[in-house]
Amino acid sequence: MDRVPPKPKHPESNLQSEEGADSMSTMENQMEPSSVDSIESSQTQPAARQPKYQLGTPVQFVQGVGSQRAPLFEKLGLTRAGDLLFYFPRDYQPPVEIVAFSKLKTDTRVSVVGTVVDREFRGISEGRSMAGVLLQVEGGSVRLKWFNQPYRLENISHGARIQATGVIKMAGFVWEMIHPEYKILEDEEDLSPNKPAPQYSLTEGLLNNHVKRAVHNAVHELADSVDEVLPAATREAAGVLGIATALRQIHIPTTMDEAMAGRKRFIFQELFVLQLALALRKRQKQSGLPAPVLEDNAKIHNRILSRFPFELTSDQRQAIHEVANDMGKNVPMNRLIQGDVGSGKTVVAMYAMLLAVAHGYQAALMAPTEVLARQHARVLGANLKASRVNVELLTGSLSGSERKSVLDSVAMGTTDLVIGTQALLSDQLEFRKLGVVIVDEQHRFGVGQRASLRSGTETQPHYLVLTATPIPRTIAMTLFGDLDVSVLREKPPGRTVTKSYVARHDEMASWWEFVRKQLKQGRQAYVVAPRVEDNEQEESRGAEYWHDRLQREEFANFRVGLLHGRMASSDKDETLRKFNAHELDVLVSTTVIEVGIDVPNAAVMTVMEADRLGLAQLHQLRGRVGRGQHPGYFCVFPRKEIPGVENERLQALTQTQDGFELSEIDFKIRGPGNLMGTKQHGLPPMRIADLSRDAKILEHARKVALQIVAENPELEGEDFRRLKKQVLARYGANLELGDVG
Ligand code: ADP
Ligand code: MG
């Protein structure tokens, strides 16, 4: 039995111990386990007892790791002793009772305590072995078994007292536990069975017990050497534990309450650091250059409204009111308009642009795709016909001379409104007097990538983003934590409900028959396939297949086009132009048409293999039909064999047309983390917090963060030194917090 790791011989760690206990700020270790290298040594360390190793000591020297297992720990990202502290359990097994022999019940999880009276090891077959231990408990005996873990017997000696925990079964006439967790009881004090058992994420070859033992050792040695990041006042305001206690409780809880209190501290910390970063960014935006004061008045208001061929909904009026209010101040507007597909967000954007123009300023509108940019330019052009407002389109596909002429007219100020793609972010685009920037479908850009355009003046433009993504409030608060939010809930009047179906494959022929009828009446149709190409293994058919097949068979008498992301952008554009001009009847496409496309004559949509897509995405797709005066029809075909739960999910589409409601349903069925993580949005993933589950803590963290930044915008002072460092280390680059540092 030589599982005890050697005493640290590492030259570096010797050096460190001579200098006294090293310390590591929680910034590095909790949030960035891989960057533990940068260890900060603190001058005064009230070392009550000299730890056997330090936070920065290679993980192999922690008791319970050793040189053999060290590579497995490293695989989990645990290279230094300090990393173990912040390797949080993913779950806990609730405490189990020590059950008396006479009360054992098969297939229950129990704990038994007894003495080892027999040990057995044998080969079962080529390369397979079994290690067994017979435990004498009061009233009888229980057999413990491990397969292919010969070393088990090295740890368990004859006569040892053991507490074994696991699912117990009657095997023949003997009670048996396979692969139980166990603890060797050194003395009576060890006999505390009713503790929750932390469960760690593992890798092949590493058992929960291995990780647990190593982590526990590290906690015993090092919990007191970790620097506290949260100022005392913040901990008090948040009602969370100090770092050392939190570490003990999260890893070695005696009750579930303790475990949860430990977790809460780290969840809070993670969310708090994020909210601080967002609060700092918001503050920075507002304390930079002032924005032009673009006040609204009755004359301007009525003139702009007369450009819209319809009455505004009351949500649109409210949003416009909020936007105009923001733009009338010399602090730059930072607002998100959140509204379901078809709720009429463009109107609000146009209002903001025209308000800027009314004051002699320019406006820019950025769309995520060229297709959408062109569409916006077309709609705006139509609404502004016979006005003196000049609109230009700037995308990547302009020729050199076209591009130059747009750049020139923007620089001279003859162009009032520029609409484009990310091409707008070009350095060469310089405005004469930019008043407002609008970003359509912001979720496609990511949080960090804030459009920053050269405004040509000593002011910075107002900023407005539009999104159709039905983001639950807590997530919006995080992703867009530095923005104010206006919501468009209500749809413009006169919309008919799009009839939605989840169909079986044997109903496909009659569905195509229905589509043909619609086409004959002059409507157009979309057919969406999630993939471009077939996948034989999965019997999956791509958009290319459906295009060829439908053109050849079901829609032989109609004009069928194909659109997908791998096509050249000029080809995409041409296909969409044709569909728009009704030179195509059917458009077979991947989900590239998901965002923003507005062809009012398109009334029917079919989605193949729909279970591959999220509800929110399907809802976005559905929003492409039923936009004009013609009723919309939406039919999805799941893959032939899909689990029932997927069908339940798809059925939700037939039950509601409300994007917010659908995203809640999706969330309930698919569980947290699936709806919308932070990852897709350019922020580092959360380590322990879950934005949906921890909504309450998130709100609290936000409140505390805003308060702190209001009082201490630069996070000055010793109290905040470590906290500030952590905020910058984690979010400085993503959120462009450069100046705060
Ligand atoms: P989205 O919010 O999805 O961007 P749009 O702004 O594209 O929605 O609007 C969808 C359609 O509704 C457009 O054809 C637009 O002209 C129309 N629309 C917008 N507001 C109203 C309104 N108040 N009354 C009638 N139609 C409207
Ligand atoms: Mg839109």
Side-chain angles (χ1 to χ4, degrees), residues 345-346 372 376 440-441 596 627:
K345 296 182 290 295
T346 316
L372 200 52
H376 279 315
D440 197 9
E441 301 298 346
R627 293 172 82 86

Side-chain angles (χ1 to χ4, degrees), residues 7-231:
K7 289 263 131 52
K9 288 193 206 91
H10 198 267
E12 211 183 315
S13 54
N14 281 341
L15 195 72
Q16 279 167 353
S17 45
E18 271 161 35
E19 287 175 358
D22 62 353
S23 97
M24 179 165 53
S25 91
T26 47
M27 162 178 21
E28 282 112 351
N29 54 26
Q30 198 238 316
M31 299 310 181
E32 310 295 334
S34 56
S35 65
V36 167
D37 306 77
S38 48
I39 287 148
E40 198 185 287
S41 78
S42 75
Q43 313 81 332
T44 49
Q45 191 56 235
R49 166 181 78 91
Q50 187 79 347
K52 295 199 191 101
Y53 46 84
Q54 277 77 42
L55 291 162
T57 306
V59 76
Q60 105 174 65
F61 301 111
V62 175
Q63 292 148 272
V65 180
S67 58
Q68 254 182 319
R69 276 191 208 129
L72 297 174
F73 280 84
E74 278 158 21
K75 229 178 180 175
L76 296 173
L78 309 170
T79 56
R80 306 297 180 106
D83 295 335
L84 291 169
L85 299 180
F86 296 93
Y87 195 62
F88 299 136
R90 60 175 167 73
D91 202 359
Y92 298 88
Q93 295 261 16
V96 276
E97 257 184 279
I98 290 189
V99 178
F101 188 79
S102 60
K103 299 260 169 68
L104 290 177
K105 269 210 316 251
T106 196
D107 281 326
T108 56
R109 195 179 142 78
V110 297
S111 215
V112 294
V113 173
T115 307
V116 176
V117 291
D118 195 14
R119 298 153 81 238
E120 173 192 18
F121 179 78
R122 59 184 156 90
I124 301 173
S125 61
E126 178 78 12
R128 303 233 312 139
S129 67
M130 193 274 288
V133 161
L134 194 65
L135 210 59
Q136 180 77 54
V137 306
E138 215 178 300
S141 55
V142 173
R143 190 157 58 204
L144 315 179
K145 273 185 178 173
W146 292 271
F147 294 99
N148 302 327
Q149 297 177 13
Y151 53 85
R152 284 291 168 202
L153 294 187
E154 296 170 23
N155 292 329
I156 303 174
S157 49
H158 202 96
R161 271 181 66 71
I162 283 187
Q163 177 188 342
T165 304
V167 175
I168 195 145
K169 279 188 167 53
M170 183 55 93
F173 292 102
V174 185
W175 288 108
E176 197 171 86
M177 274 188 196
I178 312 286
H179 289 194
E181 291 164 43
Y182 65 94
K183 192 158 119 183
I184 297 166
L185 305 176
E186 309 283 348
D187 47 49
E188 284 308 304
E189 234 173 273
D190 251 345
L191 230 172
S192 43
N194 288 325
K195 285 185 193 165
Q199 304 294 306
Y200 294 92
S201 296
L202 304 170
T203 187
E204 209 183 317
L206 212 53
L207 298 174
N208 195 58
N209 259 328
H210 297 151
V211 179
K212 197 167 87 182
R213 233 174 323 141
V215 169
H216 285 201
N217 284 327
V219 169
H220 282 308
E221 284 305 315
L222 301 173
D224 289 319
S225 349
V226 176
D227 287 338
E228 177 60 89
V229 163
L230 299 177

Side-chain angles (χ1 to χ4, degrees), residues 491-497 626 628-629:
K491 293 261 167 84
R495 291 284 165 83
T496 50
V497 169
Q629 76 265 40

